[in-house]
Amino acid sequence: QVQLVESGGGLAQPGGSLRLSCAASGSTFSIMGWYRQAPGKQRELVALITRGGSTNYADSVKGRFTISADNAKNRVSLQMNSLKPEDTAVYYCNAQRIVDRYEYWGQGTQVTVSS
């Protein structure tokens, strides 16, 4: 059974840093990424990384966030620097299975940026 487990969320001050981690198990994935959803807002893509190492970032996080992956361990991390209050959201890990491109979601982890 496929399982995605996120960790690393919490409270940070503006300008601070957090590192999120997502461990996926039960299959092999072609793309893994992070999405976020703030109260009253739609879920949006934050960053993704392919098995080949290509990355894509939302304009709002470019230069501040870095996504990385360990393909052998099916693990993806999101290093978040220079955090802003508008980064406050629930962050969800997403993984696309290679065999059929089915997408799985983690349970979400809260990130709060506040002074």
Side-chain angles (χ1 to χ4, degrees):
Q1 182 171 313
V2 170
Q3 195 171 32
L4 276 63
V5 180
E6 300 114 327
S7 62
L11 177 65
Q13 293 185 332
S17 298
L18 287 172
R19 185 176 179 87
L20 306 183
S21 181
C22 174
S25 61
S27 191
T28 303
F29 307 95
S30 57
I31 302 172
M32 295 185 69
W34 290 93
Y35 291 72
R36 68 186 181 187
Q37 187 168 25
K41 303 292 185 179
Q42 295 187 54
R43 188 172 298 188
E44 64 175 350
L45 174 68
V46 178
L48 63 82
I49 185 166
T50 70
R51 192 168 182 84
S54 297
T55 59
N56 191 31
Y57 297 90
D59 288 341
S60 59
V61 307
K62 286 181 179 177
R64 300 188 298 119
F65 292 9
T66 302
I67 190 168
S68 60
D70 183 336
N71 290 334
K73 296 182 178 180
N74 285 338
R75 181 179 292 270
V76 64
S77 298
L78 185 69
Q79 179 66 45
M80 304 185 293
N81 297 327
S82 301
L83 284 164
K84 303 175 180 180
E86 50 262 45
D87 295 319
T88 296
V90 177
Y91 284 69
Y92 297 90
C93 182
N94 173 272
Q96 184 178 128
R97 188 164 61 184
I98 283 181
V99 293
D100 59 0
R101 295 191 173 185
Y102 189 89
E103 294 187 13
Y104 296 88
W105 295 90
Q107 81 287 348
T109 184
Q110 177 71 46
V111 170
T112 301
V113 184
S114 176
S115 60

